[in-house]
Amino acid sequence: MFFWQKISLKLRLSLLFGLIFTGMLSGFCYILYTQFSKLQIAEFDTSLYNYAVDVAESLDVDKYGDVEFDSNILKLNEKILPFTLKNSFISVMDINGNVIETRPHLHETQISRLNEGIVARVLKNGASFSTMVNEKVPYRVINYLLPVLQKDTPLILQIAVPETDFLVINRNLVKFFYISVPIMLLVSLMIGYFFVGRALRPMMMIIAKTKEIEVTNLEERVPVPQSKGEIWQLADTINHLLSRLNEAFDAQDRFIQDASHQLKTPLAIMKGELEVFISEKRSEAEMTRFLESIAQEINFLTKLTNNLLILARVDSGASNLTFTKNRVDEVALTQVSRLSKLANMKKISLHLDFDSFYQASEDELSIMCDRDLLGVLFYNLIENAIKYSPESSTVTVTGESKEGMLRVRISDEGEGIETADLEKIFSRFHRLQNTATKAQGSGLGLAICKVVADSLGARIYATRNEGPGTSFIFEINQAAFGR
């Protein structure tokens, strides 16, 4: 078992193939040898029986009552027999086993003795076969019932011929098997090793390619065979794993880049203000303005950090999200309530129009989602509308359930967004030139909305209003609610 575990898979499969093939071949050889031996014995006995008939027909009784053998029949050169007559024994005896005549002239103890069983089979069937050993040489013996030869009792012709030729053929066949089976084992191992190598070649290519893939080239993929078998599944699984690893490393890189890009500016501002502040003695009013500026930068850093953590959480995948069943209208109303104070500070009216939702059932308004992230999405959209809307304007939050789609529309009355910029605004750190100086922001709010919507299988997009302002639409297909 230890040896089996240490050898390679290729060699294991080759040995297994060779052993199975050799076992099947050995079984086939055994069956072939057994059937061949049976056929050979049957042919041998048939020839011996025919020879006994010829001998029986040649026997005669002389005027003294003795049985005479035809000298020509003892040679029988005109027939091809599977045995030799040179060392054969022929005897004529009565049913009591008394030898009447024998050729060659031997003592009767050298002839196979009759017993009651043999005599009974001979009398019943006309002949019987048995095997005897004389001087370590096996003989095939036939006891044949002779026709009445002017005798008062039935006579039995007994012929014993050596099985030497028959056994030589069998031994040669066994030798052939002993030599051919190991050779076939070796050949099968070589053939198996070759074909197993060809079968495992795609897997070896996958292993070689996998060893080449490092953190710096995770975008590369292992080769996938054309036939969709087990190796195809292995390659496809590895490629999916590499894709997930690549996404994880990309998310990590994006987080590092985002953090370094966004944190250095407020930190630099705070550092500069501190250096200026401590350079000389300050009045109480200057100290107050300094602390307010530092507090503003700290608030910005806090919000920025929270946004970066939300992006990192979504980018890391569904394993870090908690999906529960939530009503979309309830989540949106919660965020409207949280932002009412900010709207009041700018004298902005928050108008809700959820009439379409009232006609929908609870199941139609509920989706499987991470409630906190969905809340962040609505919070960012509504806050963004308030931030870029003029004072004394209106921000409208509308709910629609129509044609299998659930929509939440947030519309403002601001300056609006140019058509060319409608797709760009969801990119990270993208800020419009005409608004960059009017409101402080990190450029991550809408990017967070986009990644949250993508994680839910939803769609988010922006359109210009016919009048002033822009509308942001969040929509999700009701067929996804059962997830």
Side-chain angles (χ1 to χ4, degrees):
M1 182 62 69
F2 180 72
F3 166 76
W4 186 258
Q5 293 176 348
K6 287 189 66 177
I7 61 177
S8 65
L9 176 63
K10 182 178 179 181
L11 186 55
R12 269 191 244 176
L13 293 175
S14 302
L15 288 173
L16 186 62
F17 171 77
L19 291 174
I20 293 175
F21 178 78
T22 305
M24 294 176 62
L25 181 62
S26 300
F28 174 76
C29 291
Y30 173 77
I31 295 173
L32 180 64
Y33 174 79
T34 303
Q35 296 300 318
F36 178 78
S37 297
K38 289 181 180 179
L39 291 174
Q40 206 173 14
I41 290 173
E43 182 182 355
F44 193 94
D45 287 349
T46 300
S47 298
L48 182 58
Y49 180 85
N50 292 334
Y51 178 66
V53 172
D54 292 339
V55 172
E57 290 176 352
S58 68
L59 293 178
D60 195 10
V61 179
D62 60 14
K63 61 182 178 180
Y64 301 105
D66 295 328
V67 177
E68 292 185 350
F69 288 93
D70 185 350
S71 59
N72 292 327
I73 201 66
L74 296 180
K75 298 179 181 179
L76 206 64
N77 293 327
E78 66 273 12
K79 285 192 175 183
I80 300 176
L81 301 173
F83 47 81
T84 177
L85 298 177
K86 181 178 180 181
N87 299 318
S88 61
F89 303 114
I90 303 176
S91 300
V92 177
M93 60 190 71
D94 58 24
I95 60 175
N96 296 318
N98 299 317
V99 177
I100 298 174
E101 186 63 39
T102 181
R103 290 289 187 279
H105 295 289
L106 300 172
H107 192 272
E108 65 177 277
T109 56
Q110 294 176 291
I111 305 300
S112 177
R113 291 183 175 274
L114 296 178
N115 55 44
E116 293 181 359
I118 294 176
V119 172
R121 288 195 299 274
V122 171
L123 294 177
K124 181 179 179 181
N125 303 320
S128 71
F129 295 90
S130 61
T131 302
M132 60 171 281
V133 177
N134 182 49
E135 296 181 356
K136 298 182 179 181
V137 177
Y139 283 81
R140 189 66 173 166
V141 179
I142 182 174
N143 293 289
Y144 178 76
L145 181 63
L146 289 172
V148 177
L149 296 175
Q150 300 178 359
K151 291 284 185 177
D152 296 334
T153 181
L155 299 180
I156 295 175
L157 172 66
Q158 186 180 81
I159 302 176
V161 296
E163 293 182 327
T164 307
D165 295 341
F166 165 75
L167 294 177
V168 167
I169 294 174
N170 281 7
R171 279 195 292 267
N172 289 338
L173 183 60
V174 171
K175 286 181 181 179
F176 171 76
F177 289 154
Y178 278 147
I179 295 173
S180 62
V181 169
I183 292 176
M184 291 303 296
L185 172 61
L186 182 60
V187 172
S188 65
L189 286 176
M190 295 173 63
I191 295 175
Y193 193 80
F194 173 76
F195 282 105
V196 169
R198 287 181 61 89
L200 294 180
R201 186 178 299 170
M203 190 168 71
M204 300 307 296
M205 294 172 63
I206 292 173
I207 293 173
K209 185 62 179 179
T210 304
K211 289 181 178 179
E212 295 176 1
I213 298 177
E214 304 287 346
V215 176
T216 56
N217 60 341
L218 281 174
E219 70 281 354
E220 296 188 16
R221 296 293 179 265
V222 299
V224 179
Q226 295 181 351
S227 58
K228 291 190 176 182
E230 290 77 7
I231 297 181
W232 182 91
Q233 295 179 3
L234 174 64
D236 187 62
T237 302
I238 292 176
N239 283 338
H240 277 84
L241 175 61
L242 290 173
S243 297
R244 293 194 295 271
L245 287 174
N246 194 25
E247 291 174 1
F249 275 94
D250 285 346
Q252 176 180 297
D253 291 341
R254 282 196 301 269
F255 179 79
I256 294 172
Q257 292 172 8
D258 294 347
S260 61
H261 178 266
Q262 289 297 306
L263 292 177
K264 66 181 181 181
T265 300
L267 289 175
I269 293 173
M270 294 173 65
K271 180 176 180 294
E273 290 184 351
L274 281 171
E275 290 175 348
V276 172
F277 183 78
I278 63 176
S279 63
E280 57 183 73
K281 190 175 181 180
R282 300 293 177 180
S283 64
E284 186 175 343
E286 289 176 328
M287 185 178 295
T288 300
R289 285 196 302 271
F290 169 75
L291 292 177
E292 289 176 351
S293 177
I294 291 297
Q296 185 180 8
E297 294 299 331
I298 290 174
N299 290 335
F300 177 78
L301 283 174
T302 302
K303 185 174 182 180
L304 174 62
T305 304
N306 289 334
N307 287 338
L308 290 172
L309 290 175
I310 291 172
L311 283 174
R313 182 183 173 196
V314 178
D315 285 342
S316 62
S319 60
N320 291 318
L321 305 179
T322 304
F323 285 90
T324 56
K325 197 170 185 178
N326 299 281
R327 285 179 58 126
V328 173
D329 56 338
E330 291 180 355
V331 178
L333 285 170
T334 301
Q335 304 311 313
V336 170
S337 177
R338 288 180 61 193
L339 289 164
S340 60
K341 184 177 180 180
L342 178 63
N344 291 333
M345 291 173 60
K346 293 188 66 175
K347 300 178 182 179
I348 293 175
S349 174
L350 287 177
H351 178 68
L352 300 179
D353 181 8
F354 282 180
D355 292 344
S356 178
F357 281 173
Y358 298 148
Q359 301 175 2
S361 64
E362 182 164 346
D363 286 341
E364 291 175 332
L365 295 175
S366 300
I367 63 172
M368 295 297 295
C369 66
D370 188 302
R371 185 181 181 90
D372 293 337
L373 288 182
L374 185 61
V376 169
L377 182 146
F378 289 134
Y379 185 94
N380 286 353
L381 291 178
I382 299 170
E383 183 194 37
N384 199 67
I386 295 172
K387 187 186 299 183
Y388 295 104
S389 292
E391 292 186 1
S392 303
S393 60
T394 300
V395 172
T396 305
V397 182
T398 306
E400 301 175 4
S401 179
K402 185 179 180 182
E403 298 178 356
M405 297 297 296
L406 185 64
R407 294 183 183 88
V408 176
R409 180 189 301 266
I410 295 95
S411 303
D412 61 52
E413 296 178 354
E415 295 181 3
I417 302 174
E418 297 296 332
T419 305
D421 292 323
L422 290 177
E423 292 294 331
K424 300 177 183 178
I425 57 177
F426 293 102
S427 302
R428 300 186 187 197
F429 309 114
H430 181 79
R431 302 194 69 202
L432 300 178
Q433 294 296 325
N434 61 340
T435 61
T437 60
K438 294 182 180 180
Q440 186 182 30
S442 63
L444 288 176
L446 293 179
I448 291 174
C449 294
K450 181 68 168 62
V451 296
V452 171
D454 290 342
S455 70
L456 299 176
R459 182 184 176 214
I460 186 170
Y461 58 95
T463 61
R464 285 181 61 89
N465 296 336
E466 293 183 0
T470 306
S471 292
F472 288 86
I473 298 96
F474 168 82
E475 65 179 23
I476 185 168
N477 195 323
Q478 290 178 347
F481 292 176
R483 293 183 308 159

